[in-house]
Short mmCIF file of all heavy atoms in Angstrom, two decimals:
data_model
loop_
_atom_site.label_atom_id
_atom_site.label_comp_id
_atom_site.label_asym_id
_atom_site.label_seq_id
_atom_site.Cartn_x
_atom_site.Cartn_y
_atom_site.Cartn_z
N ILE A 24 -11.20 -6.44 -4.61
CA ILE A 24 -10.76 -7.66 -3.76
C ILE A 24 -9.70 -8.48 -4.65
O ILE A 24 -10.06 -9.03 -5.67
CB ILE A 24 -11.76 -8.49 -3.33
CG1 ILE A 24 -12.91 -7.71 -2.72
CG2 ILE A 24 -11.34 -9.52 -2.44
CD1 ILE A 24 -14.10 -8.52 -2.13
N THR A 34 -8.59 -19.07 1.00
CA THR A 34 -8.71 -17.76 0.66
C THR A 34 -10.13 -17.50 -0.12
O THR A 34 -10.69 -16.48 -0.04
CB THR A 34 -7.75 -17.42 -0.56
OG1 THR A 34 -7.80 -18.33 -1.75
CG2 THR A 34 -6.21 -17.36 0.11
N GLU A 35 -10.71 -18.56 -0.65
CA GLU A 35 -12.15 -18.36 -1.13
C GLU A 35 -13.07 -18.16 -0.02
O GLU A 35 -14.10 -17.41 -0.14
CB GLU A 35 -12.52 -19.57 -1.93
CG GLU A 35 -12.03 -19.55 -3.42
CD GLU A 35 -12.38 -18.22 -4.07
OE1 GLU A 35 -13.55 -17.96 -4.29
OE2 GLU A 35 -11.41 -17.57 -4.68
N ASN A 36 -12.90 -18.85 1.06
CA ASN A 36 -13.75 -18.61 2.30
C ASN A 36 -13.58 -17.23 2.82
O ASN A 36 -14.52 -16.57 3.23
CB ASN A 36 -13.58 -19.59 3.38
CG ASN A 36 -14.32 -20.96 3.14
OD1 ASN A 36 -15.20 -21.05 2.27
ND2 ASN A 36 -13.88 -21.95 3.72
N LEU A 37 -12.28 -16.72 2.84
CA LEU A 37 -12.05 -15.32 3.16
C LEU A 37 -12.84 -14.33 2.31
O LEU A 37 -13.45 -13.41 2.75
CB LEU A 37 -10.59 -15.04 3.16
CG LEU A 37 -9.75 -15.75 4.33
CD1 LEU A 37 -8.29 -15.52 4.04
CD2 LEU A 37 -10.06 -15.30 5.77
N TYR A 38 -12.69 -14.64 0.89
CA TYR A 38 -13.38 -13.82 -0.03
C TYR A 38 -14.89 -13.85 0.19
O TYR A 38 -15.46 -12.69 0.25
CB TYR A 38 -13.01 -14.24 -1.44
CG TYR A 38 -13.80 -13.74 -2.62
CD1 TYR A 38 -13.59 -12.46 -2.93
CD2 TYR A 38 -14.84 -14.44 -3.05
CE1 TYR A 38 -14.33 -11.82 -3.86
CE2 TYR A 38 -15.58 -13.98 -4.12
CZ TYR A 38 -15.43 -12.60 -4.52
OH TYR A 38 -16.26 -11.96 -5.47
N LEU A 39 -15.56 -15.01 0.36
CA LEU A 39 -17.01 -15.07 0.48
C LEU A 39 -17.30 -14.29 1.73
O LEU A 39 -18.56 -13.65 1.82
CB LEU A 39 -17.37 -16.51 0.61
CG LEU A 39 -17.23 -17.31 -0.72
CD1 LEU A 39 -17.46 -18.79 -0.40
CD2 LEU A 39 -18.13 -16.79 -1.74
N GLY A 40 -16.58 -14.42 2.89
CA GLY A 40 -16.97 -13.72 4.04
C GLY A 40 -16.88 -12.25 3.93
O GLY A 40 -17.73 -11.49 4.26
N ALA A 41 -15.89 -11.79 3.09
CA ALA A 41 -15.78 -10.39 2.82
C ALA A 41 -16.87 -9.75 1.93
O ALA A 41 -17.50 -8.85 2.35
CB ALA A 41 -14.38 -10.07 2.04
N VAL A 42 -17.26 -10.57 0.92
CA VAL A 42 -18.39 -10.16 -0.02
C VAL A 42 -19.71 -10.06 0.82
O VAL A 42 -20.52 -9.11 0.83
CB VAL A 42 -18.45 -10.98 -1.20
CG1 VAL A 42 -19.84 -10.81 -1.98
CG2 VAL A 42 -17.37 -10.90 -2.07
N GLN A 43 -19.93 -11.17 1.65
CA GLN A 43 -21.08 -11.28 2.41
C GLN A 43 -21.20 -9.96 3.36
O GLN A 43 -22.26 -9.32 3.49
CB GLN A 43 -21.03 -12.46 3.41
CG GLN A 43 -22.07 -12.42 4.46
CD GLN A 43 -21.80 -13.62 5.50
OE1 GLN A 43 -21.03 -14.48 5.39
NE2 GLN A 43 -22.24 -13.40 6.77
N ALA A 44 -20.08 -9.59 4.11
CA ALA A 44 -20.26 -8.43 4.98
C ALA A 44 -20.31 -7.10 4.24
O ALA A 44 -21.05 -6.25 4.56
CB ALA A 44 -18.84 -8.34 5.67
N LEU A 45 -19.66 -6.99 3.00
CA LEU A 45 -19.81 -5.82 2.18
C LEU A 45 -21.23 -5.65 1.78
O LEU A 45 -22.01 -4.61 1.86
CB LEU A 45 -18.92 -5.93 1.04
CG LEU A 45 -17.45 -5.76 1.14
CD1 LEU A 45 -16.79 -6.00 -0.16
CD2 LEU A 45 -17.21 -4.41 1.74
N ILE A 46 -21.90 -6.67 1.30
CA ILE A 46 -23.38 -6.62 0.73
C ILE A 46 -24.25 -6.36 1.94
O ILE A 46 -25.22 -5.55 1.89
CB ILE A 46 -23.80 -7.93 0.20
CG1 ILE A 46 -22.89 -8.21 -1.08
CG2 ILE A 46 -25.24 -7.92 -0.13
CD1 ILE A 46 -23.01 -7.30 -2.20
N GLU A 47 -23.93 -6.97 3.12
CA GLU A 47 -24.90 -6.79 4.31
C GLU A 47 -24.84 -5.33 4.76
O GLU A 47 -25.74 -4.90 5.45
CB GLU A 47 -24.44 -7.67 5.48
CG GLU A 47 -24.87 -9.16 5.32
CD GLU A 47 -24.35 -9.86 6.50
OE1 GLU A 47 -23.60 -9.46 7.35
OE2 GLU A 47 -24.61 -11.11 6.58
N ASN A 48 -23.88 -4.58 4.39
CA ASN A 48 -23.65 -3.23 4.80
C ASN A 48 -23.88 -2.22 3.61
O ASN A 48 -23.44 -1.08 3.60
CB ASN A 48 -22.25 -2.92 5.37
CG ASN A 48 -22.20 -3.59 6.93
OD1 ASN A 48 -22.62 -2.97 7.77
ND2 ASN A 48 -21.66 -4.72 6.84
N ALA A 50 -23.30 -2.59 0.15
CA ALA A 50 -22.49 -2.51 -1.14
C ALA A 50 -23.31 -3.31 -2.18
O ALA A 50 -24.03 -4.34 -1.83
CB ALA A 50 -21.11 -3.25 -0.90
N ILE A 55 -18.19 -4.46 -6.73
CA ILE A 55 -17.21 -5.25 -6.09
C ILE A 55 -16.42 -6.03 -7.28
O ILE A 55 -17.02 -6.71 -8.10
CB ILE A 55 -17.82 -6.33 -5.25
CG1 ILE A 55 -18.48 -5.71 -4.09
CG2 ILE A 55 -16.63 -7.30 -4.70
CD1 ILE A 55 -19.28 -6.70 -3.19
N ILE A 83 -9.19 -4.97 -0.66
CA ILE A 83 -9.07 -5.97 0.31
C ILE A 83 -8.06 -6.92 -0.30
O ILE A 83 -8.33 -7.48 -1.42
CB ILE A 83 -10.33 -6.79 0.80
CG1 ILE A 83 -11.27 -5.74 1.42
CG2 ILE A 83 -9.87 -7.67 1.74
CD1 ILE A 83 -12.69 -6.36 1.62
N ILE A 85 -6.39 -10.38 -0.16
CA ILE A 85 -6.64 -11.65 0.57
C ILE A 85 -5.60 -12.79 0.22
O ILE A 85 -5.28 -13.15 -0.91
CB ILE A 85 -8.11 -12.24 0.22
CG1 ILE A 85 -9.16 -11.34 0.76
CG2 ILE A 85 -8.29 -13.63 0.64
CD1 ILE A 85 -10.60 -11.71 0.43
N CYS A 121 -5.75 -8.59 4.55
CA CYS A 121 -6.36 -9.86 4.90
C CYS A 121 -5.61 -10.98 4.53
O CYS A 121 -5.99 -11.89 3.65
CB CYS A 121 -7.89 -9.77 4.19
SG CYS A 121 -8.87 -11.15 4.75
N ASN A 141 -14.25 -15.21 10.78
CA ASN A 141 -13.74 -15.11 9.31
C ASN A 141 -13.11 -13.80 9.21
O ASN A 141 -13.71 -12.82 9.30
CB ASN A 141 -14.88 -15.26 8.49
CG ASN A 141 -14.31 -15.32 6.95
OD1 ASN A 141 -13.45 -14.77 6.58
ND2 ASN A 141 -15.17 -16.13 6.23
N LYS A 142 -11.74 -13.70 9.04
CA LYS A 142 -11.00 -12.48 8.79
C LYS A 142 -11.42 -11.73 7.62
O LYS A 142 -11.34 -10.42 7.57
CB LYS A 142 -9.48 -12.80 8.64
CG LYS A 142 -8.56 -11.45 8.83
CD LYS A 142 -7.14 -11.76 8.87
CE LYS A 142 -6.39 -10.55 9.13
NZ LYS A 142 -6.68 -9.87 10.41
N GLY A 143 -12.03 -12.33 6.69
CA GLY A 143 -12.64 -11.68 5.55
C GLY A 143 -13.80 -10.67 5.95
O GLY A 143 -14.00 -9.53 5.44
N ILE A 144 -14.60 -10.97 6.90
CA ILE A 144 -15.64 -10.27 7.45
C ILE A 144 -14.95 -9.02 8.13
O ILE A 144 -15.35 -7.82 7.83
CB ILE A 144 -16.63 -10.85 8.52
CG1 ILE A 144 -17.27 -12.13 7.81
CG2 ILE A 144 -17.47 -9.98 9.15
CD1 ILE A 144 -18.17 -12.97 8.64
N GLU A 145 -13.96 -9.21 8.93
CA GLU A 145 -13.31 -8.16 9.61
C GLU A 145 -12.71 -7.20 8.63
O GLU A 145 -12.73 -5.91 8.81
CB GLU A 145 -12.20 -8.79 10.53
CG GLU A 145 -11.22 -7.79 11.11
CD GLU A 145 -9.83 -8.43 11.62
OE1 GLU A 145 -9.89 -9.67 11.67
OE2 GLU A 145 -8.94 -7.67 11.60
N SER A 146 -12.14 -7.78 7.51
CA SER A 146 -11.56 -6.98 6.66
C SER A 146 -12.44 -6.11 5.85
O SER A 146 -12.10 -4.94 5.44
CB SER A 146 -10.65 -7.81 5.67
OG SER A 146 -9.65 -8.49 6.42
N ALA A 147 -13.67 -6.64 5.50
CA ALA A 147 -14.71 -5.93 4.84
C ALA A 147 -15.17 -4.65 5.62
O ALA A 147 -15.34 -3.62 5.05
CB ALA A 147 -15.92 -6.79 4.53
N VAL A 148 -15.33 -5.02 6.95
CA VAL A 148 -15.78 -3.92 7.73
C VAL A 148 -14.62 -2.79 7.77
O VAL A 148 -14.92 -1.54 7.70
CB VAL A 148 -16.02 -4.29 9.25
CG1 VAL A 148 -16.16 -3.17 10.15
CG2 VAL A 148 -17.19 -5.27 9.28
N ILE A 151 -14.84 -0.75 4.47
CA ILE A 151 -15.93 0.29 4.44
C ILE A 151 -15.52 1.48 5.28
O ILE A 151 -15.56 2.71 4.84
CB ILE A 151 -17.24 -0.31 4.97
CG1 ILE A 151 -17.62 -1.47 4.14
CG2 ILE A 151 -18.30 0.80 5.19
CD1 ILE A 151 -18.71 -2.36 4.78
#
Side-chain angles (χ1 to χ4, degrees):
I24 307 181
T34 59
E35 280 305 306
N36 278 341
L37 293 170
Y38 167 73
L39 292 173
V42 170
Q43 169 197 340
L45 290 174
I46 299 294
E47 281 179 358
N48 287 281
I55 299 172
I83 302 171
I85 292 179
C121 186
N141 189 323
K142 191 170 184 65
I144 296 173
E145 170 202 342
S146 298
V148 169
I151 295 168

